[in-house]
Amino acid sequence: MAAPGTSLGPYELLGSIGAGGMGEVYRARDPRLSREVAIKILPARFAADPDRLRRFEQEARAAAALSHPNILAIYDIGAQANGSPYIVTELLEGDSLRDRLRSGPLPLRKAVDYASQIARGLAAAHDKHIVHRDLKPDNIFITRDGRAKILDFGLAKLTERNLDDVHTSAPTEEGTSPGTVVGTVGYMAPEQVRGQAADHRCDIFAFGAILYEMLSGKRAFRGETSADTMSAILKEDPPDLTETNRAVPPAIERIVEHCLEKHPDQRFHSASDIAFGLEAFSGSSAGAIAASAPAAARARLNRRALYATVGTAGLVIACAVTWWLGVRSARPPLPNYKPITFRSGRIGNARFGPDGQTVFYSASWEGGSADIYSGRIDSLGERSMGFPNTELLAISSAGEIAIRDTTARSNFASRGVMSVVPTAGGAPRPVMDDVADIDWAADGKQMAVVRFDPSKEEWRLEYPVGKVLLAGAVWISAPRISRDGKQIAFFDHGNSIGDDRGDVAMVDLNGKKTTLSTGWSSLQGLDWSPDGQEIWFSATSTGVIHNLYAVSTNGKLRRLASMPADVVLQDVASDGRVLLRKQAMHFEIYGGDGQAAERKLDWLDWSHLDNISQDGKYVLFDEEGEGGGHDYTVYMRPTDGSPAIALGRGFGVAFSPDNKWALTATLKSPAQFILQPTGAGEARTVTHDQIDHGDGIFLPDAKRVLFYGREPGRPARLFLLDLDTGATRPITPEGVAGYALSPDGKYVVAKSKQAWLRWPIESGDPTPVTGLKAGETPIAWTADGRQLYLIIPAEARPRRVYLFDIATGKRTLWKSLGPADWTGAGAASVPYISGDGKHYVYTLSRALADLYVVTGLK
C-alpha cells in the first residue's frame, strides 16, 4: 500500500480510500488543475498476471469510451515504475448503494429516481456496445447530491464491434469464452450462471435484481451457499414485491419482473426502454407513486380532491404501463427509446438533419438563454450554433435552418422575424416578419408558412409563400407538407390563441380544408407517417399528458403509442424513426410587495394565474394539470402564503373591489360569467348570451365589469357588463388588443390598428396616447392616474416593468421580475399589479425535457 505523500506520475497521493479484487483506490491531488481525484492502482504482484492485467486495461478502455453523468468519469491512465498500471477518475463523495441498503429498503421515490439514473447509464454503455457484466449495489455509487454513478467496468465485454468505433486505438477485448462464469453470485443472469455467452441483457437482469433489493430491502436471489443462490437464479422467482412493500405500484413490480425473466429474449430489449418507463414516475406523473401508498399515508396530503384524482391517475397509469409492457408472445416487439440529451433544462422544437444522423434543437440549459444546438445520434455531446434567444422552426433537405427571433408572444402563438442560415454555420439571413411556423417541402425550396397579418388582424397559411390557402381569425400551428407535396397537415385552434385546443386538419393546394379529428384539449407536435398515409401527432383530450396518435387522411383515428409520460412529437424520418420530446411541466406563480423576497404562490402542478385583488391580499388562479385532475378548478390564495381555497370550476377572471366575490368564466364555449362567493353565499350566473366571455376587471363601483368578448365569428372587442341587469354593450371597435383601466373607472387604454387609444367608458371619442414607442404595451395605471405601467413583450427574462408618465413621456424602470433559478423556465408572464401598486404577481412555466430517438413505432 502506498504511503500518503507518495507521488504517482504528476499526482500526489493523499490517503487510501479502499481496496478490492481489481486494485487499491487512493485519494490524490492533481496540482496541474488544482483538483482532487481518485486513483486505482493494480498491485505489483498482480501486474504480472496477464489475465488480471488484461481485465484492468479493459476497465480503463471501456469506461474511458463513455461520457455520461451516471457513469464514473475517467481522466487519465498511466503506469508506475514497477509496471503496475493505474487509472485516474473523478473523486466521488457519498456512499455506495450497498451502504445505503444496509439500513433496509429505500423510499419508493428514491428507489425509482436512482433506478432511472442507473438505467440511463446502462443505456449509454450499451449504445457503445459495452456490457458491464458485474452490476451490483457495490458498483453503484450515490453522491451527496443524489447522483447515481456506475463504477467498475473491469468485467465489461465488447459486443458486435470494437472500441475503434468510439475513437480509441487500444487493442480489442475478445469476448469471454463460453463455459467461463463471470460476475457476482446473486446478480448474475441465468446465462452467466450456465457459463454461456452473455450480452447486454445480463445487465438488465442484474438491474432488476438491484431494483428489487432497493424496493424490498432483501436480495432477489439468496441461498445458504453460492450453489443454492445459483440454483434459485435458474429455477425460482423472487417473492412478490407487494409481500414486503405494499407501497410498490403494480406497474413498477411488472418492470422488475420483466427485467428478471429467465430467458434473455423475454426481458426488456434495452435499458432505454426501462429508463423511459421509470422516469414517468419521477416526472409529470410522479403523483401516481403516492397514489399506491397506504390510505393513512395518503391522507396526510389533506386534499380530498387531489386524493381522489391522484388515485384514479395512478390506476390509469398503472394500467397503461402494464399494457405497454405487454406479453411478448401477444404483441410485436416494443419500440426502442434512445435518449440523446442529458442536460437539465427546457427544450423547444427539434428536427432531424438532412443526413438523418444529426439532430438540431432549441434548448436553454441550466437556466441560460435559449440557443440552437446540434448533436449526433450515434455519439454524446452537442455544439451551440451561436444563435441566442432564437427558436428553431424547420430544417430543409438542402441543408438550411429556419430560425425565429420572437418579437411577439400571445400565450401559445408566438411570432417574429424568420431568418435562414446554412446548417454548416454562417450569419442568419432575415426573410420575413410575423412568422409563427414554417415547413419546407421535400425539394428544400418551397415552404409553407403560418404568419400573422397585423393590418388585417388575421392569421394566414401560405404555400408557397405568397399564395394564401387559409386566412382569418383562426390560429393555425404546426404546418407539415405531405411527402408528395399535395396536402398540408396542421392544427386548427379556432378563434382563440389563449390555449392549444383544437382539431387536426389538412388543406390541399386549392385551399380545400378537411378536418380529420376534433375535440382535443391540447395539440402539440405533428408530422406525416413514413408512408404518407397518416398524420402522426401528440395530443390529449383530458388533461396535460400528451400521447401519440395517428389519423388517416379519411379520418380514421388510432392510438400510435401510450406511455405514462408527457411526450411531444417533433419529427418523423422517412425510415420511420421518430424524434420525441419527453417533458415534465409545471406552472409557477410568484408574488411580491417590494419589501421582502418574492413568495411562491402556486398550489398544484399547473397553477394558471388569473388576477390579483385590488388590495393585493389575494391571488386568483385555476388548476389545469394532473394534480387538479384537469378539472379547471378556480382557487383564491392569500398572498401571505396561506393555503389556497377552491371556489368552483371554470377559469378565474377577477376579484370584486371588496374581495367578497370572484368573477369566473365557464368552461364551455361560449364562456359565460359566474359570480362565486369567496365566503358564505351561493354562486350565480350573470350572463346568458352568445358572447364568448374572456379576461375582465371590475369597475370601482363593483356593479360593472369591463371584459374582452367575442361574438360568433367576429374578432374580439371590449364590452361593458352591468352585473345587476346582465346588459352588455361594446366599448371599442372589433380587433383591439390589450387594455388598462384607469383607477377612477372612466377610461380604458387599448390598442387598435397599431395605435394606443384612450376610450371613455361612458361615451365619447377616443384620444391617442402620445409618446409610446413601438413594442411598448401598457398593462395598468398607477393609483394616482398619472402613469402607466409598461412592458416590452420581447423582454421576458427577466420581465421588466416600466413607469410611463402620461404628461411628460418620461420612462423609469419599476421592477425586473423573474425567479432566482431560471432552469427550465420559460418567459415570465405579464404581471398583475394591485390597485395601490404595492403588490404584484406573475407566472412562468418550468419544463424539464429530454429528447429521444424512437425506432419501431408503427
Side-chain angles (χ1 to χ4, degrees):
M1 180 176 292
T6 302
S7 294
L8 188 61
Y11 306 100
E12 178 186 352
L13 301 186
L14 303 178
S16 175
I17 296 176
M22 288 302 298
E24 300 169 346
V25 184
Y26 295 87
R27 178 189 294 266
R29 184 176 181 275
D30 183 351
R32 298 167 300 178
L33 299 176
S34 298
R35 68 178 176 187
E36 291 192 355
V37 297
I39 298 181
K40 178 181 284 189
I41 304 173
L42 189 66
R45 65 180 183 276
F46 294 142
D49 184 329
D51 182 62
R52 284 184 179 271
L53 185 59
R54 177 180 57 81
R55 288 169 56 196
F56 188 85
E57 291 173 347
Q58 171 69 6
E59 176 180 357
R61 291 168 47 219
L66 303 173
S67 177
H68 191 275
N70 299 119
I71 296 176
L72 181 71
I74 299 294
Y75 295 150
D76 194 8
I77 187 169
Q80 299 184 91
N82 64 2
S84 297
Y86 61 82
I87 300 176
V88 183
T89 72
E90 63 178 317
L91 180 66
L92 302 178
E93 301 287 347
D95 305 290
S96 71
L97 180 58
R98 171 66 67 211
D99 292 334
R100 294 284 181 98
L101 291 173
R102 296 190 196 284
S103 57
L106 302 181
L108 185 59
R109 290 180 182 272
K110 284 287 186 185
V112 172
D113 179 28
Y114 294 157
S116 63
Q117 293 186 55
I118 297 167
R120 275 197 162 197
L122 281 179
H126 294 171
D127 284 344
K128 296 296 184 183
H129 303 273
I130 298 173
V131 183
H132 193 288
R133 293 201 303 165
D134 193 26
L135 197 65
K136 55 188 175 183
D138 313 72
N139 287 336
I140 306 295
F141 197 89
I142 309 299
T143 65
R144 289 179 179 174
D145 62 356
R147 178 69 60 84
K149 295 270 190 177
I150 303 176
L151 316 178
D152 198 350
F153 274 83
L155 294 177
K157 172 190 174 184
L158 302 183
T159 62
E160 299 182 23
R161 59 179 185 173
N162 60 45
L163 279 176
D164 293 336
D165 293 328
V166 286
H167 311 294
T168 179
S169 57
T172 302
E173 161 71 4
E174 297 296 329
T176 301
S177 301
T180 303
V181 178
V182 180
T184 299
V185 175
Y187 303 93
M188 291 190 294
E191 58 269 28
Q192 289 176 288
V193 171
R194 294 189 178 98
Q196 299 171 339
D199 59 17
H200 69 283
R201 292 170 294 184
C202 73
D203 285 349
I204 290 176
F205 187 92
F207 172 87
I210 293 170
L211 179 53
Y212 181 96
E213 192 168 344
M214 285 195 289
L215 295 169
S216 68
K218 299 180 180 180
R219 297 196 182 190
F221 305 99
R222 188 167 189 174
E224 293 184 4
T225 66
S226 296
D228 292 336
T229 302
M230 290 183 177
S231 177
I233 290 172
L234 293 173
K235 301 177 181 179
E236 300 174 10
D237 292 325
D240 291 344
L241 277 170
T242 50
E243 292 182 10
T244 57
N245 188 346
R246 294 184 179 180
V248 177
I252 293 290
E253 183 168 27
R254 178 61 183 138
I255 289 176
V256 174
E257 292 172 351
H258 204 42
C259 291
L260 294 178
E261 294 284 0
K262 303 297 185 188
H263 197 284
D265 287 343
Q266 296 177 349
R267 297 176 204 146
F268 281 98
H269 276 192
S270 72
S272 296
D273 291 345
I274 303 172
F276 195 87
L278 286 171
E279 286 169 0
F281 291 90
S282 57
S284 60
S285 299
I289 294 179
S292 298
R298 292 199 304 259
R300 287 195 292 269
L301 293 174
N302 196 29
R303 301 174 189 167
R304 295 182 62 189
L306 178 61
Y307 171 89
T309 301
V310 171
T312 303
L315 178 60
V316 171
I317 291 173
C319 292
V321 172
T322 301
W323 174 88
W324 178 57
L325 296 175
V327 179
R328 286 188 55 84
S329 60
R331 55 162 294 160
L334 293 170
N336 178 271
Y337 297 85
K338 178 182 178 180
I340 59 173
T341 59
F342 302 94
R343 298 174 67 184
S344 180
R346 190 184 191 98
I347 297 176
N349 292 331
R351 298 289 187 269
F352 287 112
D355 63 1
Q357 296 302 311
T358 305
V359 171
F360 296 84
Y361 52 93
S362 304
S364 54
W365 298 127
E366 287 83 38
S369 61
D371 203 343
I372 312 282
Y373 295 88
S374 67
R376 297 277 299 177
I377 296 172
D378 54 2
S379 64
L380 297 175
E382 62 187 10
R383 73 178 181 92
S384 167
M385 301 290 291
F387 306 126
N389 299 312
T390 59
E391 175 76 1
L392 172 71
L393 293 180
I395 306 284
S396 78
S397 59
E400 290 186 308
I401 310 174
I403 62 176
R404 185 186 66 218
D405 183 4
T406 300
T407 56
R409 289 182 173 89
S410 300
N411 294 325
F412 287 89
S414 298
R415 64 186 193 272
V417 178
M418 187 199 81
S419 301
V420 172
V421 64
T423 56
R429 173 173 55 87
V431 176
M432 65 185 77
D433 200 0
D434 288 308
V435 173
D437 278 306
I438 80 135
D439 187 41
W440 259 296
D443 62 7
K445 299 177 181 179
Q446 303 289 353
M447 64 172 65
V449 180
V450 172
R451 57 176 168 171
F452 184 72
D453 184 348
S455 64
K456 295 184 178 180
E457 299 286 330
E458 69 178 15
W459 292 90
R460 292 180 174 181
L461 173 59
E462 302 175 10
Y463 180 68
V465 175
K467 179 182 178 181
V468 179
L469 299 180
L470 297 171
V474 174
W475 170 43
I476 293 168
S477 72
R480 300 305 288 263
I481 304 169
S482 63
R483 300 189 185 278
D484 62 8
K486 297 180 179 180
Q487 301 276 355
I488 300 174
F490 63 94
F491 291 144
D492 181 352
H493 297 288
N495 292 334
S496 173
I497 59 174
D499 57 45
D500 55 350
R501 290 176 292 176
D503 308 328
V504 182
M506 66 181 185
V507 61
D508 65 18
L509 303 188
N510 295 317
K512 180 183 178 182
K513 171 186 165 185
T514 304
T515 300
L516 302 175
S517 183
T518 63
W520 298 97
S521 63
S522 178
L523 290 161
Q524 294 186 30
L526 171 151
D527 201 0
W528 290 86
S529 63
D531 62 8
Q533 300 302 305
E534 292 181 313
I535 297 165
W536 290 2
F537 62 100
S538 44
T540 177
S541 59
T542 58
V544 300
I545 301 299
H546 297 81
N547 267 296
L548 301 182
Y549 297 87
V551 62
S552 67
T553 54
N554 60 9
K556 183 178 181 181
L557 181 71
R558 67 183 181 94
R559 188 184 295 269
L560 182 62
S562 181
M563 290 160 286
D566 188 14
V567 294
V568 177
L569 181 73
Q570 296 298 305
D571 203 4
V572 179
S574 58
D575 61 5
R577 291 174 302 148
V578 172
L579 191 58
L580 202 66
R581 182 178 77 227
K582 183 180 75 69
Q583 61 189 19
M585 179 175 285
H586 293 259
F587 281 87
E588 302 170 348
I589 298 173
Y590 294 85
D593 58 9
Q595 304 300 316
E598 290 182 348
R599 188 190 304 273
K600 269 182 104 272
L601 296 172
D602 46 276
W603 189 237
L604 302 178
D605 57 338
W606 274 45
S607 299
H608 181 270
L609 178 63
D610 297 317
N611 219 317
I612 190 174
S613 62
Q614 288 300 298
D615 59 9
K617 292 183 178 180
Y618 299 96
V619 61
L620 189 68
F621 61 93
D622 50 84
E623 284 291 344
E624 303 178 9
E626 290 290 293
H630 329 301
D631 206 26
Y632 296 89
T633 299
V634 180
Y635 289 84
M636 62 179 290
R637 187 176 188 184
T639 52
D640 64 6
S642 300
I645 303 168
L647 300 179
R649 293 195 67 207
F651 300 106
V653 178
F655 285 107
S656 62
D658 60 6
N659 295 334
K660 292 183 178 180
W661 298 92
L663 186 67
T664 66
T666 60
L667 299 175
K668 292 183 178 181
S669 183
Q672 301 298 307
F673 279 156
I674 297 177
L675 280 174
Q676 298 278 3
T678 59
E682 295 184 1
R684 66 184 179 94
T685 302
V686 293
T687 60
H688 303 84
D689 52 36
Q690 293 302 307
I691 298 175
D692 195 17
H693 296 71
D695 194 22
I697 187 171
F698 279 83
L699 268 65
D701 61 14
K703 297 179 179 181
R704 294 173 295 170
V705 170
L706 179 73
F707 71 94
Y708 261 125
R710 190 188 304 273
E711 294 172 296
R714 308 297 300 176
R717 66 197 306 180
L718 285 170
F719 292 86
L720 190 67
L721 166 68
D722 187 306
L723 292 173
D724 291 332
T725 65
T728 298
R729 66 179 177 87
I731 297 294
T732 67
E734 295 174 343
V736 297
Y739 75 90
L741 180 67
S742 64
D744 59 9
K746 295 181 179 180
Y747 299 95
V748 60
V749 170
K751 188 177 185 181
S752 177
K753 300 184 184 300
Q754 305 305 304
W756 288 95
L757 303 175
R758 178 167 52 188
W759 271 275
I761 294 295
E762 297 301 337
S763 62
D765 296 326
T767 57
V769 180
T770 59
L772 290 175
K773 299 177 182 179
E776 292 181 331
T777 301
I779 58 172
W781 296 59
T782 57
D784 59 11
R786 297 178 179 178
Q787 300 182 91
L788 291 168
Y789 295 100
L790 300 181
I791 63 163
I792 300 174
E795 296 181 349
R797 293 187 59 177
R799 171 69 72 185
R800 294 184 177 90
V801 183
Y802 302 87
L803 287 174
F804 171 77
D805 190 291
I806 299 173
T808 67
K810 182 181 178 181
R811 292 164 184 77
T812 56
L813 179 65
W814 182 63
K815 290 187 186 302
S816 292
L817 308 180
D821 179 12
W822 283 97
T823 301
S829 74
V830 176
Y832 288 93
I833 303 171
S834 62
D836 58 11
K838 296 180 180 179
H839 301 265
Y840 63 88
V841 288
Y842 65 94
T843 187
L844 55 84
S845 63
R846 193 181 297 274
L848 300 179
D850 296 292
L851 286 178
Y852 286 78
V853 172
V854 187
T855 54
L857 283 176
K858 295 180 180 179

